[in-house]
Short mmCIF file of all heavy atoms in Angstrom, two decimals:
data_model
loop_
_atom_site.label_atom_id
_atom_site.label_comp_id
_atom_site.label_asym_id
_atom_site.label_seq_id
_atom_site.Cartn_x
_atom_site.Cartn_y
_atom_site.Cartn_z
N MET G 1197 6.94 -23.85 -14.03
CA MET G 1197 7.18 -22.59 -13.32
C MET G 1197 6.10 -21.58 -13.70
O MET G 1197 5.87 -21.33 -14.89
CB MET G 1197 8.56 -22.05 -13.72
CG MET G 1197 9.04 -20.96 -12.79
SD MET G 1197 10.84 -20.92 -12.72
CE MET G 1197 11.07 -19.23 -12.22
N PRO G 1198 5.41 -21.05 -12.71
CA PRO G 1198 4.30 -20.13 -13.03
C PRO G 1198 4.81 -18.81 -13.59
O PRO G 1198 5.87 -18.34 -13.21
CB PRO G 1198 3.62 -19.93 -11.68
CG PRO G 1198 4.62 -20.31 -10.66
CD PRO G 1198 5.59 -21.26 -11.30
N LYS G 1199 4.04 -18.31 -14.50
CA LYS G 1199 4.39 -17.03 -15.10
C LYS G 1199 4.13 -15.92 -14.08
O LYS G 1199 3.20 -15.99 -13.29
CB LYS G 1199 3.52 -16.80 -16.34
CG LYS G 1199 4.21 -15.98 -17.39
CD LYS G 1199 3.51 -16.11 -18.73
CE LYS G 1199 2.07 -15.62 -18.64
NZ LYS G 1199 1.48 -15.46 -19.98
N ALA G 1200 4.97 -14.91 -14.10
CA ALA G 1200 4.78 -13.78 -13.19
C ALA G 1200 3.47 -13.08 -13.52
O ALA G 1200 3.13 -12.90 -14.69
CB ALA G 1200 5.95 -12.82 -13.30
N ARG G 1201 2.76 -12.73 -12.49
CA ARG G 1201 1.50 -11.99 -12.69
C ARG G 1201 1.82 -10.51 -12.73
O ARG G 1201 2.08 -9.90 -11.71
CB ARG G 1201 0.53 -12.33 -11.56
CG ARG G 1201 0.21 -13.81 -11.50
CD ARG G 1201 -0.67 -14.13 -10.35
NE ARG G 1201 0.01 -13.97 -9.06
CZ ARG G 1201 -0.53 -14.30 -7.89
NH1 ARG G 1201 -1.73 -14.79 -7.85
NH2 ARG G 1201 0.13 -14.12 -6.78
N MET G 1202 1.79 -9.98 -13.91
CA MET G 1202 2.15 -8.57 -14.06
C MET G 1202 0.95 -7.68 -13.82
O MET G 1202 -0.15 -7.95 -14.30
CB MET G 1202 2.69 -8.30 -15.46
CG MET G 1202 3.92 -9.14 -15.81
SD MET G 1202 5.34 -8.79 -14.74
CE MET G 1202 5.77 -7.15 -15.32
N VAL G 1203 1.17 -6.62 -13.09
CA VAL G 1203 0.13 -5.62 -12.91
C VAL G 1203 0.71 -4.25 -13.23
O VAL G 1203 1.91 -4.03 -13.21
CB VAL G 1203 -0.43 -5.60 -11.47
CG1 VAL G 1203 -1.21 -6.85 -11.18
CG2 VAL G 1203 0.68 -5.39 -10.46
N LYS G 1204 -0.21 -3.35 -13.52
CA LYS G 1204 0.21 -2.00 -13.82
C LYS G 1204 -0.14 -1.11 -12.65
O LYS G 1204 -1.28 -1.11 -12.18
CB LYS G 1204 -0.53 -1.53 -15.09
CG LYS G 1204 0.04 -0.26 -15.67
CD LYS G 1204 -0.62 0.02 -17.01
CE LYS G 1204 0.15 1.09 -17.76
NZ LYS G 1204 -0.39 1.31 -19.10
N CYS G 1205 0.82 -0.38 -12.18
CA CYS G 1205 0.59 0.52 -11.06
C CYS G 1205 -0.31 1.66 -11.51
O CYS G 1205 0.02 2.35 -12.47
CB CYS G 1205 1.92 1.06 -10.55
SG CYS G 1205 1.74 2.38 -9.34
N PRO G 1206 -1.44 1.87 -10.84
CA PRO G 1206 -2.35 2.96 -11.23
C PRO G 1206 -1.74 4.32 -10.95
O PRO G 1206 -2.19 5.32 -11.49
CB PRO G 1206 -3.59 2.75 -10.36
CG PRO G 1206 -3.35 1.54 -9.55
CD PRO G 1206 -1.91 1.14 -9.66
N GLU G 1207 -0.75 4.35 -10.13
CA GLU G 1207 -0.17 5.62 -9.71
C GLU G 1207 0.87 6.12 -10.71
O GLU G 1207 0.83 7.24 -11.16
CB GLU G 1207 0.46 5.46 -8.33
CG GLU G 1207 0.80 6.76 -7.64
CD GLU G 1207 -0.44 7.55 -7.24
OE1 GLU G 1207 -1.56 7.01 -7.26
OE2 GLU G 1207 -0.28 8.74 -6.92
N CYS G 1208 1.81 5.26 -11.07
CA CYS G 1208 2.90 5.71 -11.93
C CYS G 1208 2.89 5.03 -13.29
O CYS G 1208 3.62 5.43 -14.18
CB CYS G 1208 4.24 5.50 -11.25
SG CYS G 1208 4.71 3.77 -11.08
N GLY G 1209 2.07 3.99 -13.44
CA GLY G 1209 1.95 3.36 -14.75
C GLY G 1209 2.98 2.29 -15.03
O GLY G 1209 2.96 1.66 -16.08
N ASP G 1210 3.88 2.06 -14.11
CA ASP G 1210 4.88 1.02 -14.30
C ASP G 1210 4.28 -0.36 -14.09
O ASP G 1210 3.36 -0.53 -13.30
CB ASP G 1210 6.03 1.23 -13.31
CG ASP G 1210 7.24 1.85 -13.97
OD1 ASP G 1210 7.06 2.44 -15.06
OD2 ASP G 1210 8.34 1.76 -13.41
N GLU G 1211 4.83 -1.34 -14.77
CA GLU G 1211 4.38 -2.71 -14.57
C GLU G 1211 5.36 -3.46 -13.69
O GLU G 1211 6.57 -3.28 -13.79
CB GLU G 1211 4.23 -3.41 -15.91
CG GLU G 1211 3.02 -2.95 -16.68
CD GLU G 1211 2.71 -3.91 -17.82
OE1 GLU G 1211 3.64 -4.56 -18.32
OE2 GLU G 1211 1.54 -3.99 -18.19
N PHE G 1212 4.82 -4.30 -12.85
CA PHE G 1212 5.70 -5.15 -12.05
C PHE G 1212 4.99 -6.46 -11.75
O PHE G 1212 3.77 -6.57 -11.88
CB PHE G 1212 6.12 -4.43 -10.76
CG PHE G 1212 4.97 -4.07 -9.86
CD1 PHE G 1212 4.63 -4.89 -8.80
CD2 PHE G 1212 4.24 -2.92 -10.08
CE1 PHE G 1212 3.57 -4.56 -7.96
CE2 PHE G 1212 3.18 -2.59 -9.24
CZ PHE G 1212 2.84 -3.41 -8.20
N GLY G 1213 5.76 -7.46 -11.37
CA GLY G 1213 5.18 -8.79 -11.11
C GLY G 1213 4.75 -8.93 -9.67
O GLY G 1213 5.47 -8.56 -8.76
N LEU G 1214 3.56 -9.49 -9.48
CA LEU G 1214 3.09 -9.77 -8.12
C LEU G 1214 3.79 -11.01 -7.59
O LEU G 1214 4.06 -11.95 -8.34
CB LEU G 1214 1.58 -10.02 -8.13
CG LEU G 1214 0.68 -8.84 -8.42
CD1 LEU G 1214 -0.77 -9.30 -8.42
CD2 LEU G 1214 0.87 -7.74 -7.41
N GLU G 1215 4.08 -11.00 -6.32
CA GLU G 1215 4.63 -12.19 -5.69
C GLU G 1215 3.59 -13.31 -5.76
O GLU G 1215 2.40 -13.08 -5.70
CB GLU G 1215 4.96 -11.90 -4.22
CG GLU G 1215 5.90 -10.73 -4.01
CD GLU G 1215 7.33 -11.08 -4.40
OE1 GLU G 1215 7.61 -12.26 -4.65
OE2 GLU G 1215 8.15 -10.17 -4.45
N ASP G 1216 4.10 -14.53 -5.83
CA ASP G 1216 3.22 -15.68 -6.01
C ASP G 1216 2.22 -15.88 -4.88
O ASP G 1216 1.11 -16.35 -5.09
CB ASP G 1216 4.06 -16.95 -6.12
CG ASP G 1216 4.52 -17.16 -7.55
OD1 ASP G 1216 3.99 -16.47 -8.44
OD2 ASP G 1216 5.41 -18.00 -7.77
N TYR G 1217 2.63 -15.51 -3.67
CA TYR G 1217 1.78 -15.81 -2.53
C TYR G 1217 0.66 -14.80 -2.33
O TYR G 1217 -0.19 -14.98 -1.49
CB TYR G 1217 2.63 -15.89 -1.26
CG TYR G 1217 3.44 -14.65 -0.98
CD1 TYR G 1217 2.86 -13.57 -0.33
CD2 TYR G 1217 4.78 -14.57 -1.37
CE1 TYR G 1217 3.59 -12.42 -0.09
CE2 TYR G 1217 5.51 -13.43 -1.13
CZ TYR G 1217 4.93 -12.36 -0.49
OH TYR G 1217 5.65 -11.22 -0.26
N LEU G 1218 0.70 -13.70 -3.09
CA LEU G 1218 -0.29 -12.65 -2.88
C LEU G 1218 -1.66 -13.07 -3.42
O LEU G 1218 -1.76 -13.71 -4.46
CB LEU G 1218 0.16 -11.36 -3.55
CG LEU G 1218 1.38 -10.70 -2.88
CD1 LEU G 1218 1.88 -9.56 -3.74
CD2 LEU G 1218 1.02 -10.21 -1.50
N GLU G 1219 -2.70 -12.71 -2.69
CA GLU G 1219 -4.04 -13.04 -3.11
C GLU G 1219 -4.91 -11.79 -3.06
O GLU G 1219 -4.49 -10.73 -2.61
CB GLU G 1219 -4.61 -14.10 -2.17
CG GLU G 1219 -3.68 -15.29 -2.07
CD GLU G 1219 -4.41 -16.52 -1.62
OE1 GLU G 1219 -5.61 -16.43 -1.31
OE2 GLU G 1219 -3.77 -17.58 -1.58
N ILE G 1220 -6.14 -11.95 -3.51
CA ILE G 1220 -7.07 -10.82 -3.52
C ILE G 1220 -7.24 -10.28 -2.09
O ILE G 1220 -7.42 -11.04 -1.15
CB ILE G 1220 -8.43 -11.26 -4.09
CG1 ILE G 1220 -8.28 -11.56 -5.57
CG2 ILE G 1220 -9.49 -10.18 -3.86
CD1 ILE G 1220 -9.52 -12.15 -6.21
N GLY G 1221 -7.14 -8.98 -1.98
CA GLY G 1221 -7.26 -8.34 -0.68
C GLY G 1221 -5.91 -8.08 -0.02
O GLY G 1221 -5.82 -7.30 0.91
N ASP G 1222 -4.87 -8.74 -0.52
CA ASP G 1222 -3.53 -8.47 0.01
C ASP G 1222 -3.01 -7.15 -0.54
O ASP G 1222 -3.49 -6.66 -1.56
CB ASP G 1222 -2.56 -9.59 -0.39
CG ASP G 1222 -2.79 -10.85 0.44
OD1 ASP G 1222 -3.48 -10.76 1.46
OD2 ASP G 1222 -2.30 -11.91 0.02
N THR G 1223 -2.04 -6.62 0.14
CA THR G 1223 -1.44 -5.39 -0.35
C THR G 1223 0.03 -5.61 -0.68
O THR G 1223 0.69 -6.51 -0.15
CB THR G 1223 -1.54 -4.26 0.70
OG1 THR G 1223 -0.97 -4.69 1.91
CG2 THR G 1223 -2.97 -3.87 0.94
N CYS G 1224 0.51 -4.78 -1.58
CA CYS G 1224 1.93 -4.83 -1.94
C CYS G 1224 2.34 -3.40 -2.25
O CYS G 1224 1.53 -2.49 -2.23
CB CYS G 1224 2.15 -5.74 -3.14
SG CYS G 1224 1.23 -5.22 -4.60
N PHE G 1225 3.60 -3.22 -2.54
CA PHE G 1225 4.09 -1.88 -2.84
C PHE G 1225 4.64 -1.84 -4.25
O PHE G 1225 5.35 -2.76 -4.67
CB PHE G 1225 5.17 -1.46 -1.83
CG PHE G 1225 4.62 -1.21 -0.47
CD1 PHE G 1225 4.51 -2.24 0.44
CD2 PHE G 1225 4.17 0.05 -0.12
CE1 PHE G 1225 3.98 -2.02 1.71
CE2 PHE G 1225 3.64 0.29 1.14
CZ PHE G 1225 3.54 -0.75 2.06
N CYS G 1226 4.32 -0.77 -4.96
CA CYS G 1226 4.86 -0.59 -6.29
C CYS G 1226 6.38 -0.49 -6.21
O CYS G 1226 6.92 0.22 -5.38
CB CYS G 1226 4.28 0.67 -6.92
SG CYS G 1226 5.05 1.10 -8.48
N VAL G 1227 7.04 -1.22 -7.11
CA VAL G 1227 8.51 -1.21 -7.07
C VAL G 1227 9.07 0.13 -7.52
O VAL G 1227 10.20 0.47 -7.22
CB VAL G 1227 9.08 -2.34 -7.94
CG1 VAL G 1227 8.72 -3.69 -7.33
CG2 VAL G 1227 8.61 -2.24 -9.36
N SER G 1228 8.28 0.88 -8.25
CA SER G 1228 8.79 2.14 -8.79
C SER G 1228 8.49 3.34 -7.90
O SER G 1228 9.36 4.15 -7.61
CB SER G 1228 8.20 2.39 -10.17
OG SER G 1228 8.67 1.41 -11.06
N CYS G 1229 7.23 3.47 -7.45
CA CYS G 1229 6.87 4.67 -6.71
C CYS G 1229 6.53 4.39 -5.26
O CYS G 1229 6.22 5.30 -4.50
CB CYS G 1229 5.71 5.39 -7.40
SG CYS G 1229 4.17 4.46 -7.37
N ASP G 1230 6.57 3.10 -4.87
CA ASP G 1230 6.38 2.73 -3.47
C ASP G 1230 4.98 3.02 -2.95
O ASP G 1230 4.76 3.11 -1.76
CB ASP G 1230 7.41 3.45 -2.60
CG ASP G 1230 7.88 2.55 -1.47
OD1 ASP G 1230 7.87 1.34 -1.65
OD2 ASP G 1230 8.23 3.09 -0.40
N THR G 1231 4.03 3.16 -3.86
CA THR G 1231 2.64 3.33 -3.45
C THR G 1231 2.09 2.00 -2.95
O THR G 1231 2.39 0.96 -3.52
CB THR G 1231 1.81 3.82 -4.64
OG1 THR G 1231 2.29 5.09 -5.06
CG2 THR G 1231 0.34 3.94 -4.28
N GLU G 1232 1.30 2.05 -1.89
CA GLU G 1232 0.70 0.83 -1.41
C GLU G 1232 -0.49 0.48 -2.28
O GLU G 1232 -1.37 1.30 -2.54
CB GLU G 1232 0.25 0.98 0.05
CG GLU G 1232 -0.20 -0.35 0.62
CD GLU G 1232 -0.45 -0.29 2.11
OE1 GLU G 1232 -0.51 0.82 2.67
OE2 GLU G 1232 -0.59 -1.37 2.71
N LEU G 1233 -0.51 -0.76 -2.74
CA LEU G 1233 -1.55 -1.19 -3.67
C LEU G 1233 -2.24 -2.43 -3.14
O LEU G 1233 -1.61 -3.33 -2.59
CB LEU G 1233 -0.91 -1.53 -5.03
CG LEU G 1233 -0.13 -0.39 -5.67
CD1 LEU G 1233 0.70 -0.92 -6.83
CD2 LEU G 1233 -1.07 0.69 -6.16
N LYS G 1234 -3.56 -2.47 -3.31
CA LYS G 1234 -4.32 -3.63 -2.89
C LYS G 1234 -4.75 -4.42 -4.11
O LYS G 1234 -5.20 -3.85 -5.10
CB LYS G 1234 -5.54 -3.20 -2.07
CG LYS G 1234 -6.28 -4.39 -1.50
CD LYS G 1234 -7.31 -3.99 -0.47
CE LYS G 1234 -8.61 -3.63 -1.15
NZ LYS G 1234 -9.67 -3.35 -0.16
N ILE G 1235 -4.65 -5.72 -4.00
CA ILE G 1235 -5.03 -6.58 -5.12
C ILE G 1235 -6.55 -6.77 -5.10
O ILE G 1235 -7.11 -7.24 -4.11
CB ILE G 1235 -4.30 -7.93 -5.01
CG1 ILE G 1235 -2.80 -7.69 -5.19
CG2 ILE G 1235 -4.81 -8.90 -6.07
CD1 ILE G 1235 -1.96 -8.65 -4.42
N THR G 1236 -7.16 -6.39 -6.20
CA THR G 1236 -8.61 -6.50 -6.28
C THR G 1236 -9.06 -7.65 -7.17
O THR G 1236 -10.18 -8.11 -7.06
CB THR G 1236 -9.22 -5.19 -6.82
OG1 THR G 1236 -8.62 -4.89 -8.08
CG2 THR G 1236 -8.95 -4.04 -5.86
N LYS G 1237 -8.19 -8.07 -8.06
CA LYS G 1237 -8.52 -9.18 -8.96
C LYS G 1237 -7.24 -9.94 -9.26
O LYS G 1237 -6.15 -9.39 -9.18
CB LYS G 1237 -9.10 -8.66 -10.28
CG LYS G 1237 -10.57 -8.33 -10.21
CD LYS G 1237 -10.98 -7.57 -11.46
CE LYS G 1237 -11.05 -8.47 -12.69
NZ LYS G 1237 -11.48 -7.71 -13.88
N LEU G 1238 -7.39 -11.22 -9.64
CA LEU G 1238 -6.20 -11.98 -9.99
C LEU G 1238 -6.24 -12.51 -11.42
O LEU G 1238 -5.21 -12.93 -11.94
CB LEU G 1238 -6.03 -13.16 -9.02
CG LEU G 1238 -5.45 -12.79 -7.65
CD1 LEU G 1238 -5.36 -14.02 -6.78
CD2 LEU G 1238 -4.08 -12.16 -7.79
N ASP G 1239 -7.37 -12.51 -12.03
CA ASP G 1239 -7.44 -13.09 -13.37
C ASP G 1239 -8.28 -12.22 -14.29
O ASP G 1239 -9.45 -12.47 -14.47
CB ASP G 1239 -8.04 -14.51 -13.28
CG ASP G 1239 -7.84 -15.24 -14.59
OD1 ASP G 1239 -6.93 -14.86 -15.35
OD2 ASP G 1239 -8.61 -16.17 -14.85
N PRO G 1240 -7.71 -11.22 -14.87
CA PRO G 1240 -6.27 -10.85 -14.81
C PRO G 1240 -5.97 -10.05 -13.55
O PRO G 1240 -6.88 -9.47 -12.97
CB PRO G 1240 -6.10 -9.98 -16.05
CG PRO G 1240 -7.43 -9.33 -16.24
CD PRO G 1240 -8.46 -10.34 -15.78
N PRO G 1241 -4.71 -10.03 -13.17
CA PRO G 1241 -4.34 -9.30 -11.96
C PRO G 1241 -4.65 -7.82 -12.08
O PRO G 1241 -4.42 -7.20 -13.11
CB PRO G 1241 -2.82 -9.52 -11.87
CG PRO G 1241 -2.54 -10.69 -12.72
CD PRO G 1241 -3.56 -10.69 -13.80
N GLN G 1242 -5.18 -7.29 -11.01
CA GLN G 1242 -5.51 -5.88 -11.00
C GLN G 1242 -5.33 -5.34 -9.60
O GLN G 1242 -5.64 -6.01 -8.62
CB GLN G 1242 -6.97 -5.70 -11.45
CG GLN G 1242 -7.32 -4.28 -11.81
CD GLN G 1242 -8.71 -4.21 -12.43
OE1 GLN G 1242 -9.06 -5.00 -13.28
NE2 GLN G 1242 -9.49 -3.29 -11.97
N VAL G 1243 -4.81 -4.14 -9.51
CA VAL G 1243 -4.58 -3.54 -8.20
C VAL G 1243 -5.18 -2.14 -8.16
O VAL G 1243 -5.40 -1.50 -9.19
CB VAL G 1243 -3.06 -3.44 -7.88
CG1 VAL G 1243 -2.46 -4.81 -7.72
CG2 VAL G 1243 -2.34 -2.63 -8.95
N GLU G 1244 -5.44 -1.68 -6.94
CA GLU G 1244 -5.87 -0.30 -6.77
C GLU G 1244 -5.05 0.34 -5.66
O GLU G 1244 -4.53 -0.34 -4.79
CB GLU G 1244 -7.36 -0.23 -6.46
CG GLU G 1244 -7.72 -0.79 -5.11
CD GLU G 1244 -9.22 -0.66 -4.84
OE1 GLU G 1244 -10.00 -0.61 -5.80
OE2 GLU G 1244 -9.60 -0.62 -3.67
N VAL G 1245 -4.97 1.66 -5.74
CA VAL G 1245 -4.20 2.39 -4.74
C VAL G 1245 -4.91 2.33 -3.40
O VAL G 1245 -6.11 2.54 -3.32
CB VAL G 1245 -4.00 3.85 -5.18
CG1 VAL G 1245 -3.26 4.64 -4.11
CG2 VAL G 1245 -3.25 3.91 -6.50
N VAL G 1246 -4.18 2.01 -2.38
CA VAL G 1246 -4.73 2.02 -1.03
C VAL G 1246 -4.72 3.46 -0.54
O VAL G 1246 -3.66 4.08 -0.44
CB VAL G 1246 -3.90 1.13 -0.09
CG1 VAL G 1246 -4.42 1.25 1.34
CG2 VAL G 1246 -3.94 -0.31 -0.56
N GLN G 1247 -5.90 3.98 -0.25
CA GLN G 1247 -5.97 5.34 0.25
C GLN G 1247 -5.59 5.34 1.72
O GLN G 1247 -6.05 4.52 2.48
CB GLN G 1247 -7.39 5.89 0.09
CG GLN G 1247 -7.90 5.89 -1.33
CD GLN G 1247 -7.08 6.79 -2.24
OE1 GLN G 1247 -6.41 7.71 -1.78
NE2 GLN G 1247 -7.10 6.51 -3.53
N PRO G 1248 -4.73 6.26 2.08
CA PRO G 1248 -4.33 6.34 3.49
C PRO G 1248 -5.55 6.64 4.36
O PRO G 1248 -6.37 7.47 4.01
CB PRO G 1248 -3.35 7.52 3.53
CG PRO G 1248 -3.05 7.85 2.13
CD PRO G 1248 -4.13 7.29 1.27
N LEU G 1249 -5.64 5.94 5.47
CA LEU G 1249 -6.76 6.18 6.37
C LEU G 1249 -6.67 7.58 6.95
O LEU G 1249 -5.59 8.10 7.19
CB LEU G 1249 -6.75 5.14 7.50
CG LEU G 1249 -7.09 3.73 7.05
CD1 LEU G 1249 -6.97 2.77 8.22
CD2 LEU G 1249 -8.48 3.66 6.45
N ASP G 1250 -7.82 8.14 7.20
CA ASP G 1250 -7.89 9.55 7.54
C ASP G 1250 -8.01 9.78 9.04
O ASP G 1250 -8.42 10.83 9.48
CB ASP G 1250 -9.08 10.17 6.82
CG ASP G 1250 -8.76 11.58 6.36
OD1 ASP G 1250 -7.57 11.92 6.32
OD2 ASP G 1250 -9.70 12.33 6.05
N ASP G 1251 -7.66 8.78 9.82
CA ASP G 1251 -7.86 8.96 11.25
C ASP G 1251 -6.56 9.30 11.95
O ASP G 1251 -5.53 8.72 11.71
CB ASP G 1251 -8.45 7.69 11.84
CG ASP G 1251 -7.52 6.51 11.66
OD1 ASP G 1251 -6.80 6.47 10.65
OD2 ASP G 1251 -7.51 5.63 12.53
N GLU G 1252 -6.64 10.23 12.83
CA GLU G 1252 -5.56 10.58 13.75
C GLU G 1252 -4.29 11.08 13.08
O GLU G 1252 -3.46 11.66 13.74
CB GLU G 1252 -5.20 9.39 14.65
CG GLU G 1252 -6.35 8.97 15.55
CD GLU G 1252 -5.88 7.98 16.60
OE1 GLU G 1252 -5.84 6.79 16.28
OE2 GLU G 1252 -5.56 8.41 17.72
N SER G 1253 -4.13 10.84 11.79
CA SER G 1253 -2.86 11.18 11.19
C SER G 1253 -2.71 12.69 10.98
O SER G 1253 -1.61 13.17 10.80
CB SER G 1253 -2.68 10.45 9.88
OG SER G 1253 -3.84 10.55 9.10
N ASP G 1254 -3.83 13.41 10.99
CA ASP G 1254 -3.68 14.84 10.77
C ASP G 1254 -3.92 15.66 12.06
O ASP G 1254 -4.40 16.76 12.01
CB ASP G 1254 -4.57 15.31 9.63
CG ASP G 1254 -6.02 14.92 9.83
OD1 ASP G 1254 -6.30 14.22 10.81
OD2 ASP G 1254 -6.86 15.31 9.04
N PHE G 1255 -3.61 15.06 13.15
CA PHE G 1255 -3.59 15.82 14.39
C PHE G 1255 -2.38 16.74 14.40
O PHE G 1255 -1.34 16.40 13.86
CB PHE G 1255 -3.49 14.86 15.59
CG PHE G 1255 -4.82 14.51 16.19
CD1 PHE G 1255 -5.64 13.59 15.55
CD2 PHE G 1255 -5.24 15.09 17.38
CE1 PHE G 1255 -6.87 13.25 16.09
CE2 PHE G 1255 -6.46 14.76 17.92
CZ PHE G 1255 -7.28 13.85 17.28
N ASP G 1256 -2.52 17.86 15.03
CA ASP G 1256 -1.34 18.71 15.20
C ASP G 1256 -0.33 18.02 16.13
O ASP G 1256 -0.71 17.36 17.07
CB ASP G 1256 -1.74 20.06 15.80
CG ASP G 1256 -2.30 20.98 14.74
OD1 ASP G 1256 -2.70 20.47 13.68
OD2 ASP G 1256 -2.34 22.19 14.97
N GLU G 1257 0.93 18.22 15.80
CA GLU G 1257 1.93 17.53 16.60
C GLU G 1257 2.27 18.28 17.87
O GLU G 1257 3.03 17.82 18.69
CB GLU G 1257 3.20 17.34 15.76
CG GLU G 1257 2.90 16.57 14.49
CD GLU G 1257 4.00 15.56 14.20
OE1 GLU G 1257 5.05 15.64 14.86
OE2 GLU G 1257 3.80 14.71 13.33
N GLU G 1258 1.72 19.49 18.01
CA GLU G 1258 2.07 20.26 19.19
C GLU G 1258 1.03 20.13 20.29
O GLU G 1258 0.41 21.08 20.70
CB GLU G 1258 2.26 21.73 18.82
CG GLU G 1258 1.21 22.23 17.85
CD GLU G 1258 1.38 23.71 17.55
OE1 GLU G 1258 1.62 24.46 18.50
OE2 GLU G 1258 1.25 24.09 16.39
N GLY G 1259 0.82 18.91 20.71
CA GLY G 1259 -0.04 18.70 21.87
C GLY G 1259 0.71 19.09 23.12
O GLY G 1259 1.93 19.21 23.11
N ASP G 1260 -0.02 19.31 24.20
CA ASP G 1260 0.69 19.65 25.43
C ASP G 1260 0.86 18.42 26.29
O ASP G 1260 0.17 18.22 27.27
CB ASP G 1260 -0.02 20.77 26.20
CG ASP G 1260 -1.51 20.56 26.25
OD1 ASP G 1260 -1.99 19.56 25.67
OD2 ASP G 1260 -2.18 21.35 26.88
N GLU G 1261 1.75 17.56 25.86
CA GLU G 1261 2.02 16.37 26.64
C GLU G 1261 3.11 16.66 27.66
O GLU G 1261 4.08 17.34 27.38
CB GLU G 1261 2.47 15.23 25.71
CG GLU G 1261 1.44 14.94 24.63
CD GLU G 1261 2.03 13.98 23.60
OE1 GLU G 1261 2.75 13.06 24.03
OE2 GLU G 1261 1.79 14.16 22.41
N ASP G 1262 2.93 16.13 28.85
CA ASP G 1262 3.91 16.39 29.92
C ASP G 1262 4.85 15.22 30.11
O ASP G 1262 5.00 14.70 31.19
CB ASP G 1262 3.16 16.67 31.23
CG ASP G 1262 2.37 17.95 31.13
OD1 ASP G 1262 2.94 18.92 30.62
OD2 ASP G 1262 1.21 17.96 31.57
N ILE G 1263 5.47 14.78 29.03
CA ILE G 1263 6.31 13.60 29.18
C ILE G 1263 7.79 13.94 29.04
O ILE G 1263 8.61 13.08 28.87
CB ILE G 1263 5.95 12.52 28.15
CG1 ILE G 1263 5.86 13.14 26.76
CG2 ILE G 1263 4.65 11.83 28.54
CD1 ILE G 1263 5.69 12.11 25.68
N GLU G 1264 8.10 15.22 29.12
CA GLU G 1264 9.51 15.58 29.01
C GLU G 1264 10.09 15.91 30.36
O GLU G 1264 10.70 16.93 30.60
CB GLU G 1264 9.66 16.76 28.05
CG GLU G 1264 9.50 16.33 26.63
CD GLU G 1264 9.68 17.51 25.68
OE1 GLU G 1264 10.69 18.22 25.80
OE2 GLU G 1264 8.79 17.71 24.85
N GLU G 1265 9.87 15.03 31.30
CA GLU G 1265 10.25 15.27 32.68
C GLU G 1265 11.72 15.04 32.93
O GLU G 1265 12.30 15.60 33.82
CB GLU G 1265 9.45 14.34 33.59
CG GLU G 1265 7.96 14.62 33.58
CD GLU G 1265 7.64 15.76 34.56
OE1 GLU G 1265 8.15 15.74 35.69
OE2 GLU G 1265 6.85 16.65 34.18
N PHE G 1266 12.36 14.21 32.12
CA PHE G 1266 13.76 13.87 32.43
C PHE G 1266 14.76 14.92 31.98
O PHE G 1266 14.79 15.33 30.90
CB PHE G 1266 14.10 12.51 31.79
CG PHE G 1266 13.36 11.39 32.46
CD1 PHE G 1266 12.32 10.79 31.80
CD2 PHE G 1266 13.70 10.97 33.75
CE1 PHE G 1266 11.63 9.75 32.40
CE2 PHE G 1266 13.02 9.94 34.34
CZ PHE G 1266 11.99 9.33 33.68
ZN1 ZN U 1381 3.95 2.95 -9.09
#
């Protein structure tokens, strides 16, 4: 039985085990703070915080869309 690959969350510092199927480049979520983390190394396991993409997410929500016809 393979040993759990423990990583330390860079965000909150908690340790948790990576799922067996995860590989470098995959993402997972910290069990404690729910931060999205990307696996950058496996031996030893290492993760980094996935920075939220900066596109479209900071648009104002008050666009003048005409879809409230009903
Ligand atoms: Zn965390």
Side-chain angles (χ1 to χ4, degrees):
M1197 195 152 156
K1199 210 163 61 167
R1201 300 177 291 186
M1202 302 297 290
V1203 291
K1204 193 172 193 175
C1205 171
E1207 194 68 13
C1208 70
D1210 258 19
E1211 287 195 331
F1212 61 97
L1214 291 178
E1215 304 286 351
D1216 275 347
Y1217 56 84
L1218 292 171
E1219 307 202 355
I1220 292 173
D1222 285 345
T1223 55
C1224 59
F1225 290 89
C1226 172
V1227 294
S1228 295
C1229 66
D1230 217 29
T1231 297
E1232 188 171 13
L1233 302 168
K1234 186 168 86 175
I1235 294 148
T1236 56
K1237 278 169 73 179
L1238 282 178
D1239 193 22
Q1242 195 172 315
V1243 293
E1244 68 179 25
V1245 177
V1246 175
Q1247 302 297 338
L1249 291 177
D1250 217 17
D1251 61 328
E1252 296 191 275
S1253 47
D1254 54 355
F1255 266 76
D1256 280 19
E1257 303 221 348
E1258 42 177 317
D1260 44 359
E1261 303 170 40
D1262 294 316
I1263 48 172
E1264 285 181 51
E1265 295 276 315
F1266 292 107

